[in-house]
Amino acid sequence: MSARRAQVLIAAEALPTRTGLRLALERDADCVEAGDGPSAVATARASQPDVCVIDLEAQRQRLRTVNELQARVPEAAIIVLTDRLDEDEFMAVVRAGASGYLPQNVDPSRLPAVVQSVMRGETAFPRRFVRRLIDELRGRGDRYSLSV
């Protein structure tokens, strides 16, 4: 039994980034694209994707977009790609509703499997950040700074 074809929104300012993500995903997914956070939210509302892949340059823009997507299309899983893995940003995007947080340089051949996994309700987080989640759940998160 093969997996259901995904409907994916790709949001990235840089056209080469959007093109690369689409090329990595289009064999297994129908993709729509947006060039910034506000257009990502508008496109998601119109297309109702299963998964939103967000690769926006500014950290605050990424977080704002995740918050807006979660509010407007809560059934969509959200994967954030970032140029620099950061624990504080990780916690902020998880709280905002992201199901994935990965480096921009993730192997493109892995992306279809990541999309399918978040569609099944799984997560895609760096293992080194899972400890932080566990500490937060156990009420020991006060030893971390959470400002973003």
Side-chain angles (χ1 to χ4, degrees), residues 13 15 27-28 33 134 138:
E13 287 105 346
L15 179 58
R27 174 185 268 177
D28 302 298
E33 299 177 21
I134 292 168
R138 290 179 177 163

Side-chain angles (χ1 to χ4, degrees), residues 56-66 80 82 89:
L56 301 173
E57 294 175 18
Q59 188 179 56
R60 287 177 193 235
Q61 180 72 2
R62 286 191 296 266
L63 182 58
R64 185 177 310 117
T65 301
V66 172
V80 174
T82 180
E89 181 186 31

Side-chain angles (χ1 to χ4, degrees), residues 35-143:
D36 60 25
S39 64
V41 173
T43 302
R45 289 182 74 183
S47 64
Q48 295 296 304
D50 300 306
V51 178
C52 302
V53 178
I54 308 301
D55 187 352
L56 301 173
E57 294 175 18
Q59 188 179 56
R60 287 177 193 235
Q61 180 72 2
R62 286 191 296 266
L63 182 58
R64 185 177 310 117
T65 301
V66 172
N67 275 312
E68 285 291 317
L69 287 168
Q70 184 61 37
R72 305 281 192 257
V73 284
E75 61 284 344
I78 302 167
I79 300 169
V80 174
L81 301 179
T82 180
D83 59 339
R84 185 178 64 86
L85 293 175
D86 176 85
E87 280 191 25
D88 290 337
E89 181 186 31
F90 165 70
M91 292 303 297
V93 298
V94 167
R95 284 191 178 100
S99 298
Y101 182 76
L102 298 169
Q104 286 174 334
N105 64 354
V106 64
D107 181 350
S109 68
R110 288 188 50 217
L111 288 175
V114 170
V115 165
Q116 287 296 321
S117 73
V118 299
M119 282 176 54
R120 290 189 304 270
E122 299 173 19
T123 58
F125 300 135
R127 291 177 191 235
R128 66 185 172 128
F129 290 165
V130 173
R131 178 89 227 162
R132 174 83 182 261
L133 282 175
I134 292 168
D135 285 347
E136 290 289 326
L137 289 171
R138 290 179 177 163
R140 292 186 233 155
D142 57 341
R143 61 181 156 181

